[in-house]
Amino acid sequence: MLAYVWAEDENRLIGKDDELPWRLPGDVKFFKDVTMRGDIVMGRDTYETIPKRPLKGRRNIVLTHREDYDGNGAIIVHSKEEILRLHEHSGEDFYIIGGATLFEMFENEVDELYRTVIHESFNGDTYFPGDFDYSKFERVKYWDGVVDDKNIYPHTFEVWKRIRE
Ligand SMILES: NC(=O)c1ccc[n+]([C@@H]2O[C@H](COP(=O)([O-])OP(=O)(O)OC[C@H]3O[C@@H](n4cnc5c(N)ncnc54)[C@H](OP(=O)(O)O)[C@@H]3O)[C@@H](O)[C@H]2O)c1
């Protein structure tokens, strides 16, 4: 199973200056709970926002063109095909965690979507693809996150599954 896991604001914004535009610990926890079930896959830019250190308890797979990239223990790959091969052979679920280039790359292969929608408008520079075809997916679950003094933005967690004909 291939899944996307991400958070976006009400305009599909996902990033600003190589960081998240918001602080939302409740979403960080959700992200961790979901991605602990398999391996995580990300672009080199996203990896360097973590910053450049594998997230614990999961295999970290990083996509880059750079042949000599030192991933500090992450698995380095150089093409989409290499990721799909790894996925096929590992038997693990792969959670693709961004950024925008990876969210475009696997649109035809992704089976499940874990989307957090933050009901707020932020400034930034990186967006989830605007032409993503949600009509191929069914939203099977959604619930509102807790708003409190640490999580000040109203937000909704959503789970979508690809509709199989
Ligand atoms: N809100 C969220 O849930 C969320 C999630 C993830 C990221 N983000 C944000 O998104 C931003 C980063 O996203 P991004 O789209 O700019 O970058 P990205 O997708 O994380 O990484 C892009 C890099 O991936 C590598 N790459 C892409 N396609 C490739 C291919 N076909 N073959 C080999 N390597 C390839 C290239 O690395 P090289 O240049 O090394 O070749 C490219 O520069 C940051 O602001 C981050 O905070 C937000």
Side-chain angles (χ1 to χ4, degrees):
M1 190 277 293
L2 274 183
Y4 284 177
V5 189
W6 82 102
E8 63 179 40
D9 82 352
E10 59 189 23
N11 304 309
R12 287 183 293 97
L13 182 76
I14 64 166
K16 180 186 184 210
D17 300 334
D18 284 334
E19 288 184 4
L20 294 179
W22 46 77
R23 217 187 137 269
L24 201 57
D27 184 53
V28 174
K29 181 179 182 315
F30 178 71
F31 171 87
K32 188 174 175 191
D33 289 346
V34 171
T35 59
M36 277 296 190
R37 303 177 205 153
D39 296 341
I40 53 175
V41 181
M42 71 203 98
R44 198 256 311 157
D45 289 347
T46 294
Y47 186 53
E48 294 189 359
T49 68
I50 294 184
K52 206 178 171 186
R53 181 167 19 89
L55 292 179
K56 292 192 186 118
R58 294 146 278 191
R59 257 191 344 162
N60 288 229
I61 299 163
V62 177
L63 178 65
T64 175
H65 295 96
R66 302 182 187 181
E67 290 296 335
D68 57 351
Y69 188 67
D70 176 4
N72 280 334
I75 296 167
I76 304 303
V77 293
H78 302 292
S79 68
K80 173 181 177 179
E81 292 66 34
E82 207 177 330
I83 294 171
L84 291 174
R85 265 199 310 275
L86 262 182
H87 179 237
E88 199 184 328
H89 291 138
S90 74
E92 290 286 336
D93 290 338
F94 273 19
Y95 293 92
I96 295 165
I97 62 163
T101 45
L102 279 278
F103 291 141
E104 266 174 32
M105 193 175 282
F106 291 95
E107 177 169 2
N108 293 325
E109 291 84 9
V110 67
D111 303 297
E112 295 183 7
L113 312 173
Y114 293 83
R115 173 170 82 159
T116 305
V117 181
I118 301 167
H119 305 291
E120 183 67 61
S121 176
F122 297 86
N123 292 320
D125 48 41
T126 311
Y127 291 82
F128 190 84
D131 56 0
F132 187 85
D133 188 358
Y134 285 96
S135 73
K136 298 210 160 71
F137 296 82
E138 177 188 11
R139 192 171 65 164
V140 293
K141 223 157 62 167
Y142 66 97
W143 65 99
D144 289 334
V146 173
V147 175
D148 56 22
D149 54 345
K150 294 199 175 72
N151 298 273
I152 60 173
Y153 308 112
H155 54 289
T156 306
F157 298 109
E158 301 179 344
V159 182
W160 299 64
K161 288 194 195 293
R162 185 179 287 275
I163 300 164
R164 302 283 173 199
E165 277 113 37

